[in-house]
């Protein structure tokens, strides 16, 4: 079984043009999170979806799901998200432990709901890489910008070779056994709140392997990202 944990617990505070969480902002009369759900629901390799939602918006999310996916209500579980991405994943792992009979080698994918241009190739590569490896899988793209190191935001301390640096995206994935091991570990509050799945795996010396992401797999973080997403959807630009 392959289970997708979709992270929709944020408030979208960096989107200044809207007073609602960014995942519920509509583009072409459809909420952002529905675009992401569609891709995962339509992927033949994804068996279940857990939507970790802002607690104040669980009811609204459930309404949208009933509207857009009435035949898939037993496919999607809407649960309360946490104060950070890792707290949301932890809530999902606890839910899985209690409600889904997963085997140790079943696959968990974790994905930002506001990366609405995720595609089947990325999802399938995460699943296949997780099956073939006892590692956490990190979706990455090469950096297209030159990199600069600074420790005080004033002075340049180094200019590394960008060929050795990648930008991380999501999904981040792995076997259920590995995900449970990571989220059963007791990290410091600061570490747990301010890192992601791959960083937690790195701290525990769990191997991490790379799979190819896409430059179109953008995360909607601010108003510019939102306008870019609108442009892509409204102009039907291919995200391949």
């Amino acid at each position: 079984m392959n289970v997708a944990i979709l992270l929709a617990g944020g408030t979208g505070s960096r989107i200044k043009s809207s007073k609602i969480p960014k995942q519920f902002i509509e583009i072409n009369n459809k909420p952002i999170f529905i675009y992401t759900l569609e891709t995962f629901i339509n992927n033949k390799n994804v068996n279940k979806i857990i939507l970790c939602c802002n607690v104040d918006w669980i009811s609204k999310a459930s309404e949208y799901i009933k509207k857009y996916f009435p035949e898939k209500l037993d496919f999607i579980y809407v649960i309360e998200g946490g104060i950070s991405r890792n707290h949301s994943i932890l809530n999902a792992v606890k839910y899985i432990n209690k409600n889904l009979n997963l085997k140790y080698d079943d696959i968990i994918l974790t994905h930002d709901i506001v990366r609405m241009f995720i595609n089947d190739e990325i999802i399938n590569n995460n699943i296949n890489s997780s099956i073939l490896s006892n590692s956490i899988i990190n979706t990455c793209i090469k950096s297209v910008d030159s990199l600069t190191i600074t420790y005080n935001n004033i002075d340049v301390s180094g200019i590394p070779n960008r060929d050795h640096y990648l930008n991380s995206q999501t999904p981040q994935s792995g076997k259920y056994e590995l995900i449970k091991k990571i989220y059963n570990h007791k990290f410091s509050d600061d570490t747990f709140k301010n890192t992601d799945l791959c960083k937690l795996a790195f701290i525990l010396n769990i191997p991490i392997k790379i799979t190819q992401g896409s430059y179109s797999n953008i995360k909607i973080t601010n108003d510019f990202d939102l306008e870019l997403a609108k442009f892509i959807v409204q102009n039907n630009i291919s995200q391949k």
Side-chain angles (χ1 to χ4, degrees):
M1 184 179 290
N2 303 314
V3 178
I5 298 173
L6 303 183
L7 305 171
T11 60
S13 59
R14 284 175 284 185
I15 300 283
K16 304 303 181 184
S17 61
S18 176
K19 294 182 179 180
I20 66 174
K22 56 192 173 185
Q23 55 269 32
F24 291 95
I25 296 173
E26 294 191 1
I27 298 178
N28 277 14
N29 300 313
K30 186 162 65 176
I32 287 170
F33 86 99
I34 293 295
Y35 286 93
T36 310
L37 272 176
E38 281 178 335
T39 302
F40 279 90
I41 285 173
N42 292 329
N43 185 288
K44 63 182 181 180
N45 294 315
V46 176
N47 305 111
K48 297 288 182 181
I49 294 172
I50 298 176
L51 180 67
C52 300
C53 188
N54 183 308
V55 63
D56 296 326
W57 286 78
I58 288 177
S59 176
K60 191 65 175 177
S62 298
E63 288 179 18
Y64 277 123
I65 290 169
K66 289 178 183 178
K67 174 183 177 180
Y68 286 96
F69 314 111
E71 76 288 356
K72 292 289 187 177
L73 298 183
D74 61 345
F75 190 90
I76 308 168
Y77 306 94
V78 183
I79 69 169
E80 182 178 341
I83 60 174
S84 72
R85 66 182 301 109
N86 281 325
H87 286 92
S88 290
I89 295 172
L90 177 60
N91 286 356
V93 170
K94 289 179 178 178
Y95 183 90
I96 291 169
N97 287 341
K98 185 176 181 180
N99 297 283
L100 299 180
N101 186 29
L102 294 196
K103 299 177 181 178
Y104 76 97
D105 57 351
D106 287 332
I107 305 303
I108 302 291
L109 303 96
T110 68
H111 183 65
D112 302 318
I113 199 75
V114 291
R115 291 187 186 271
M116 60 183 284
F117 300 119
I118 181 72
N119 59 47
D120 282 334
E121 182 178 7
I122 295 174
I123 293 172
N124 294 338
N125 285 345
N126 266 262
I127 292 171
N128 292 333
S129 296
S130 296
I131 290 171
L132 296 172
S133 172
N134 198 33
S135 306
I136 295 299
I137 306 303
N138 193 19
T139 304
C140 296
I141 55 174
K142 288 187 175 181
S143 175
V144 296
D145 296 314
S146 296
L147 301 174
T148 298
I149 299 173
T150 181
Y151 298 102
N152 58 11
N153 288 323
I154 298 174
D155 302 303
V156 173
S157 300
I159 302 177
N161 184 343
R162 70 181 178 189
D163 290 342
H164 303 303
Y165 291 82
L166 303 174
N167 295 331
S168 292
Q169 301 182 331
T170 62
Q172 296 178 336
S173 311
K175 290 186 174 71
Y176 180 47
E177 178 182 38
L178 283 179
I179 302 295
K180 280 205 304 182
K181 178 180 179 179
I182 291 168
Y183 285 92
N184 284 337
H185 187 83
K186 299 298 181 183
F187 296 94
S188 70
D189 289 342
D190 185 64
T191 295
F192 196 71
K193 183 178 180 180
N194 295 303
T195 56
D196 60 11
L197 166 59
C198 285
K199 182 61 179 291
L200 297 181
F202 187 81
I203 291 171
L204 296 180
N205 294 315
I206 293 173
I208 304 168
K209 292 191 179 297
I210 294 165
T211 191
Q212 182 64 43
S214 169
Y215 291 101
S216 66
N217 186 26
I218 62 172
K219 183 179 181 182
I220 300 174
T221 301
N222 54 40
D223 286 282
F224 178 84
D225 303 327
L226 178 60
E227 292 305 312
L228 177 59
K230 290 178 181 178
F231 181 84
I232 291 171
V233 172
Q234 291 166 359
N235 289 277
N236 196 28
I237 298 174
S238 173
Q239 286 91 55
K240 293 294 185 181

